[in-house]
């Protein structure tokens, strides 16, 4: 009790009284107020009473919702494009998600002030596409890489048709030889 400095565990008088009884404080070294307090004790003992607070009496602090300006952009991004094609790679400290790139590009285009808010979202997607980031809308079929030349696609289709026709010609000639 002597090490405690809180009045919850006893009054100053009871602590000094106990120190005198144990011999830590000699009777001739006792404080001046000790004899007065002992002769005229208070009508009510000065005990520490913890104030009672009921749960209903406590005001429940209402936590305001915190929204940042980019939250609206992120909401629009996820509604339109979903989570994106890439996963979040948290093992790399410098990894930037597709959504964050979208937000950064959106802010950059907005700072130029040339576009209104309705077309800014579409222009941001186009700007990211120019940078090589492909955004796929929700519910849309997967986008194939469009880096191939359309002329090459036509040549491949023609070559496949020639091979199939040559294959049918060889099967006809082998059938004629067998009969």
């Amino acid at each position: 009790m002597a090490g405690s400095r809180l009045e919850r565990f006893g009054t100053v008088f009871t602590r000094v009284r106990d120190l005198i009884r144990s011999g830590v404080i000699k009777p001739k070294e006792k404080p001046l107020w000790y004899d007065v307090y002992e002769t005229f004790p208070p009508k009510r003992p000065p005990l520490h009473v913890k104030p009672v607070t009921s749960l209903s009496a406590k005001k429940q602090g209402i936590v305001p919702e915190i929204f940042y300006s980019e939250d609206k952009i992120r909401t629009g991004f996820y509604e339109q494009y979903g989570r994106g094609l890439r996963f979040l790679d948290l093992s790399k400290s410098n990894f930037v998600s597709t959504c964050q790139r979208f937000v950064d590009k959106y802010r950059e285009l907005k700072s130029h002030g040339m576009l209104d808010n309705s077309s800014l979202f579409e222009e941001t997607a186009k700007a990211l596409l120019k940078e090589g980031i492909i955004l796929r809308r929700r519910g849309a079929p997967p986008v194939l890489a469009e880096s191939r030349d359309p002329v090459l696609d036509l040549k491949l289709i023609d070559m496949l048709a020639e091979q199939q026709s040559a294959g049918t010609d060889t099967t006809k000639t082998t059938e004629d030889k067998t009969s």
Side-chain angles (χ1 to χ4, degrees), residues 3-155:
S4 172
R5 301 285 183 222
L6 298 175
E7 286 83 24
R8 286 186 251 174
F9 303 112
T11 62
V12 175
F13 175 76
T14 57
R15 283 192 253 156
V16 171
R17 181 194 64 204
D18 293 339
L19 290 172
I20 292 171
R21 285 183 187 167
S22 66
V24 175
I25 297 178
K26 295 176 181 149
K28 60 181 175 180
E29 295 176 353
K30 65 183 174 184
L32 295 173
W33 56 263
Y34 183 79
D35 292 328
V36 175
Y37 192 93
E38 192 174 33
T39 309
F40 304 105
K43 293 180 180 176
R44 289 182 294 119
L47 297 176
H48 175 75
V49 179
K50 186 176 181 179
V52 179
T53 57
S54 64
L55 295 175
S56 61
K58 273 188 178 178
K59 281 189 175 180
Q60 294 294 329
I62 298 172
V63 178
E65 293 184 12
I66 301 172
F67 285 111
Y68 296 100
S69 59
E70 62 257 12
D71 288 342
K72 292 178 183 176
I73 303 168
R74 282 192 178 94
T75 302
F77 175 83
Y78 284 118
E79 285 176 355
Q80 193 162 12
Y81 299 109
R83 64 169 180 75
L85 299 174
R86 296 174 59 191
F87 290 102
L88 295 177
D89 189 3
L90 299 178
S91 64
K92 297 178 183 175
S93 62
N94 59 353
F95 178 78
V96 180
S97 69
T98 307
C99 180
Q100 185 60 41
R101 289 176 194 246
F102 188 89
V103 169
D104 293 341
K105 183 56 82 172
Y106 186 94
R107 284 180 157 177
E108 179 185 328
L109 293 175
K110 190 173 185 176
S111 68
H112 295 306
M114 295 183 296
L115 301 170
D116 59 338
N117 288 336
S118 60
S119 64
L120 188 59
F121 206 81
E122 292 299 322
E123 290 300 319
T124 304
K126 289 177 186 176
L128 286 177
L129 186 62
K130 287 179 186 175
E131 292 179 6
I133 300 172
I134 299 172
L135 300 175
R136 185 174 64 91
R137 293 188 185 271
R138 279 187 154 185
V143 178
L144 299 175
E146 298 192 19
S147 62
R148 292 181 15 186
D149 188 11
V151 175
L152 181 63
D153 287 336
L154 292 174
K155 288 181 181 177

Side-chain angles (χ1 to χ4, degrees), residues 130-178:
K130 287 179 186 175
E131 292 179 6
I133 300 172
I134 299 172
L135 300 175
R136 185 174 64 91
R137 293 188 185 271
R138 279 187 154 185
V143 178
L144 299 175
E146 298 192 19
S147 62
R148 292 181 15 186
D149 188 11
V151 175
L152 181 63
D153 287 336
L154 292 174
K155 288 181 181 177
L156 290 174
I157 292 171
D158 293 339
M159 287 174 51
L160 183 62
E162 287 176 12
Q163 285 180 352
Q164 288 178 347
S165 66
T168 56
D169 290 340
T170 57
T171 55
K172 286 182 183 178
T173 57
T174 54
E175 288 176 3
D176 292 337
K177 290 180 183 177
T178 55

